Amino acid sequence: MASDYYYLNNYRNAGKIAISRRSFEDIATIAANSVEGAKVKRRAASFSLAEPVRVSFKKGGKVLISLQVSVKKAENVREVCLKIQEKVATAVSMMSEAVPFGVEVKVVSVI
């Protein structure tokens, strides 16, 4: 399915280079879970339409990464969210070519 992949610019015309939506989700999840005081919200064992990490490919070639996280009670929510954005941005930048992206963090619970 074409909408499940982000196609990189290939200037050599030797084929198509693509990164899957799932790869972006995994990179963001691992990066966010590495921030102390935060955890990516897990899906419930039962059927759920809400995804804790969602990646959207926007017009103009931008990738939007949206995360739902739980934050520990004693932590500063603003600082934790900023750290998550920085970690995800660093991880995506290191693991992919020059992909324009944005990171949204939504706190869904305090644990």
Side-chain angles (χ1 to χ4, degrees):
M1 187 179 262
S3 64
D4 283 339
Y5 293 92
Y6 180 87
Y7 291 94
L8 300 172
N9 290 329
N10 182 5
Y11 299 108
R12 295 184 63 192
N13 294 325
K16 292 183 178 181
I17 301 172
I19 301 173
S20 73
R21 180 185 313 273
R22 182 70 185 167
S23 295
F24 283 110
E25 291 172 356
D26 289 344
I27 292 167
T29 301
I30 292 167
N33 283 336
S34 72
V35 174
E36 193 168 328
K39 271 290 191 218
V40 171
K41 178 185 173 290
R42 290 187 178 182
R43 277 189 261 177
S46 61
F47 179 75
S48 175
L49 293 176
E51 295 289 328
V53 179
R54 182 168 294 209
V55 174
S56 306
F57 300 137
K58 301 295 183 183
K59 289 183 180 178
K62 188 173 183 178
V63 176
L64 179 62
I65 303 168
S66 301
L67 300 114
Q68 295 179 357
V69 298
S70 298
V71 177
K72 288 185 180 177
K73 201 180 280 190
E75 299 292 330
N76 182 332
V77 174
R78 183 180 174 95
E79 287 179 14
V80 170
C81 289
L82 184 60
K83 286 179 187 176
I84 290 171
Q85 286 179 319
E86 290 172 350
K87 285 271 192 174
V88 171
T90 301
V92 170
S93 295
M94 286 187 342
M95 295 187 185
S96 64
E97 201 172 286
V99 175
F101 61 90
V103 180
E104 292 179 346
V105 178
K106 178 179 180 183
V107 177
V108 293
S109 66
V110 177
I111 51 175

